[in-house]
Amino acid sequence: MRMPPPRRAGLCGAAASLLLLLGWALLLPGGGRDAVAGWLVGLVFWLGLSLGAMALLALHALTGGRWGDALRPVLAPAVSGLPLFLPLAVPLLAGAGALYPWTGGAAALPADLVHLYLNRPGFALRGAVALCGWALAGFLLLRLRPGGRREAAAALALVFHLAATTMLGFDWMQSLQASFSSTAFGLQWLLLQVLAALAWACLLRPAGRGATGDIAGLLMATCLAALYLGFVQFLVVWYGNLPGKVAWYLPRQASGWVWLGALSLLLAGLLPALALLAGPVRRSPAALAGLGGCILAGLGAHWVWIVAPALGAAAAVAALPGLLAVGGLWLGGASLLAARQPASAVP
């Protein structure tokens, strides 16, 4: 299975973008706020997948292994699409005033924090630095041949990736409720990025049956690590009874949101981890493809659970066209960029 044809994917993204614009103008109760929230869900989901692919390529450049050779044909097109997120992030910047409370100078926040860090110029600059740095790292990983230069680029890319993920995780998601901050949030997002990239690779069924068991092992290890870190983060907040952090969890445990969170936990974590205990599942590309689709659906639900409760149910409704819009535009552009990738970029 290959990436969708660029024209079809691009048309799907354009149609979903028009649907979001229509919702912005006429349908969604929150207007622009809900539309931007839906775009944010799509942006975080597809950017995370692309970044997870980049992290896996960087890791393979440092460690080697047949799993990386098997996954490269499906990871490389995802990495080649990283520059597309620069224009795709513009709607988020344009709509930040409707989405983030700190743009209005929220009274609950210390004035120095608002003015020195949470401000529009800083928000735009940090986003641009992160996205440009990721695009450059992906370019180098795809163009450099195996050897010392690629290994050095991979090591620097991973260090930058951790810092940029932590920074953008706070800017784009935690600052929806700026009284909440978690130093583990960026690391958890990084693990979910790798999980998304592995699930995407399983869904596309890369060649190389000999590496199927290795890929299944990576998928299970990443699932367990993401589950552990998410649980520990919740446990620390619950046990410490920290009011500012508890306030972030309360709306996500109310009414139907808790069921959405449980669904994402089941689809993206518990069910794949249990299924991968069975040897036949780990050795079957078809079974891994099914698990890949299950994990991606769970991750989509997870990002809706992260973004929408702070804004309302209409933001969750806007998440589906947001996922389709960003995904279609990114898939179409990434397919075109991958088709123009020179043969010398492949080892």
Side-chain angles (χ1 to χ4, degrees):
M1 182 176 178
R2 297 180 179 178
M3 293 183 73
R7 180 176 297 179
R8 187 183 305 170
L11 287 174
C12 175
S17 299
L18 289 175
L19 182 61
L20 268 183
L21 287 174
L22 179 64
W24 185 323
L26 301 174
L27 301 178
L28 296 173
R33 184 196 64 179
D34 296 326
V36 176
W39 191 268
L40 174 60
V41 171
L43 191 62
V44 170
F45 178 87
W46 292 104
L47 175 62
L49 193 157
S50 193
L51 290 176
M54 184 201 73
L56 286 171
L57 287 186
L59 184 63
H60 181 254
L62 294 173
T63 63
R66 61 184 180 181
W67 64 270
D69 297 328
L71 291 181
R72 187 178 178 88
V74 295
L75 294 182
V79 175
S80 67
L82 275 171
L84 298 171
F85 287 103
L86 277 164
L88 287 174
V90 170
L92 178 63
L93 177 62
L99 196 61
Y100 297 101
W102 49 262
T103 55
L109 298 176
D112 57 345
L113 178 62
V114 174
H115 297 311
L116 297 180
Y117 188 87
L118 288 177
N119 53 71
R120 283 177 182 263
F123 182 84
L125 178 61
R126 290 189 298 273
V129 168
L131 293 172
C132 289
W134 282 324
L136 176 60
F139 176 84
L140 294 176
L141 287 170
L142 292 177
R143 295 304 188 273
L144 294 177
R145 290 187 171 276
R149 289 185 177 181
R150 181 189 277 188
E151 292 176 2
L156 291 174
L158 288 174
V159 173
F160 174 83
H161 180 45
L162 177 59
T165 298
T166 301
M167 178 177 66
L168 231 58
F170 178 80
D171 281 9
W172 285 9
M173 287 170 282
Q174 293 185 76
S175 72
L176 289 167
Q177 292 173 246
S179 59
F180 173 79
S181 63
S182 170
T183 54
F185 191 91
L187 182 57
Q188 186 182 23
W189 188 23
L190 192 150
L191 285 171
L192 294 180
Q193 292 168 6
V194 175
L195 183 61
L198 288 171
W200 178 254
C202 290
L203 187 63
L204 296 184
R205 301 192 194 185
R209 291 183 62 87
T212 301
D214 297 336
I215 297 169
L218 285 170
L219 190 64
M220 184 172 187
T222 309
C223 275
L224 293 175
L227 285 170
Y228 170 78
L229 190 59
F231 172 73
V232 167
Q233 186 177 2
F234 176 80
L235 181 64
V236 168
V237 172
W238 175 80
Y239 187 76
N241 194 25
L242 306 173
K245 299 182 184 296
V246 170
W248 188 86
Y249 281 99
L250 288 178
R252 290 163 179 83
Q253 293 180 339
S255 59
W257 298 118
V258 67
W259 296 110
L260 180 63
L263 179 65
S264 69
L265 181 66
L266 178 66
L267 293 178
L270 294 177
L271 184 59
L274 291 174
L276 288 167
L277 292 174
V281 173
R282 294 196 301 272
R283 293 188 294 268
S284 169
L288 290 181
L291 287 179
C294 175
I295 290 171
L296 291 174
L299 290 176
H302 173 76
W303 293 122
V304 175
W305 181 78
I306 290 289
V307 172
L311 304 168
V317 175
L320 180 58
L323 285 164
L324 292 175
V326 178
L329 295 173
W330 175 74
L331 284 170
S335 299
L336 289 173
L337 291 174
R340 297 177 181 178
Q341 184 177 320
S344 60
V346 180

